[in-house]
């Protein structure tokens, strides 16, 4: 028997529930297997967000400035004026991210103790920004988890992690889906 070794791209595009890859299905007349409900992600329409975070967006810059000021002064009340809810990554997303790093992260509101803070986007009711809470930001000094929320910019000589750009999320029912990852600068 001869087995073809798959590339990383082919492996990433495989349907987790079978040995059939999407590349194989394109040449087949059979329909692909349905995606399990826990893996369903609502598609993000590019027209849903007119601006890319961090590129000419005054609110994005303002959020970073206010967050940095509150963090550096260690004044929680300033931070409290900025966000409307605390969020955490759903258990389903946490599990999916272990096996599928390209999975789109879904977050849900929690009463307290969330790792992320939701900041409403001006003029866009179904969109918002998220920033890490202070404890989560500080944890990035030692750990850079791939949670699909933030990417990391390694900066030589940086003393502690800094928010460079908030992540953008879109409301999907009572949850929030990451549509544009934010950026955290970390000591490098």
């Amino acid at each position: 028997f001869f087995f073809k070794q798959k590339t990383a791209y082919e492996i990433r595009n495989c349907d987790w529930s079978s040995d059939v890859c999407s590349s194989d299905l394109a040449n087949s007349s059979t329909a692909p297997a349905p995606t399990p409900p826990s893996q369903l992600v609502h598609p993000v329409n590019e027209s849903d967000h007119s601006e890319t975070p961090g590129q000419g967006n005054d609110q994005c810059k303002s959020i970073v400035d206010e967050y940095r000021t509150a963090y550096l002064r260690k004044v929680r009340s300033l931070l409290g004026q900025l966000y409307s809810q605390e969020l955490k990554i759903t258990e389903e997303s946490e599990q999916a991210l272990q096996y599928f790093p390209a999975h789109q992260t879904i977050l849900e509101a929690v009463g307290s103790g969330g790792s992320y803070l939701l900041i409403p986007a001006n003029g866009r009711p179904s969109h918002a920004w998220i920033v890490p809470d202070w404890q989560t930001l500080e944890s990035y000094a030692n750990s850079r988890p791939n949670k699909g929320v933030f990417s990391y910019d390694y900066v030589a000589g940086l003393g502690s992690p800094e928010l460079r750009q908030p992540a953008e999320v879109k409301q999907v029912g009572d949850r929030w889906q990451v549509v544009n990852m934010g950026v955290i600068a970390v000591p490098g």
Side-chain angles (χ1 to χ4, degrees), residues 109-129:
V110 292
S112 64
S115 297
Y116 306 98
L117 309 174
L118 182 75
I119 301 166
N122 291 341
R124 298 168 64 201
S126 65
H127 283 74
W129 304 100

Side-chain angles (χ1 to χ4, degrees), residues 63-159:
I63 289 168
V64 171
D65 291 345
E66 290 178 48
Y67 180 87
R68 186 173 290 141
T69 298
Y71 179 76
L72 292 175
R73 292 183 183 171
K74 300 293 184 205
V75 180
R76 271 215 183 268
S77 61
L78 290 176
L79 193 59
Q81 296 169 13
L82 191 59
Y83 73 94
S84 63
Q85 290 181 321
E86 293 185 37
L87 303 176
K88 71 171 190 159
I89 297 174
T90 65
E91 189 174 318
E92 296 88 4
S93 274
E94 287 278 5
Q95 291 174 357
L97 286 163
Q98 290 177 10
Y99 302 103
F100 306 101
H103 173 79
Q104 286 189 296
T105 305
I106 305 292
L107 300 103
E108 60 190 351
V110 292
S112 64
S115 297
Y116 306 98
L117 309 174
L118 182 75
I119 301 166
N122 291 341
R124 298 168 64 201
S126 65
H127 283 74
W129 304 100
I130 58 173
V131 298
D133 75 342
W134 289 348
Q135 186 176 359
T136 301
L137 179 68
E138 290 172 353
S139 75
Y140 295 145
N142 301 314
S143 170
R144 283 127 189 139
N146 181 10
K147 302 282 187 174
V149 179
F150 291 100
S151 62
Y152 305 99
D153 234 353
Y154 293 86
V155 179
L158 186 67

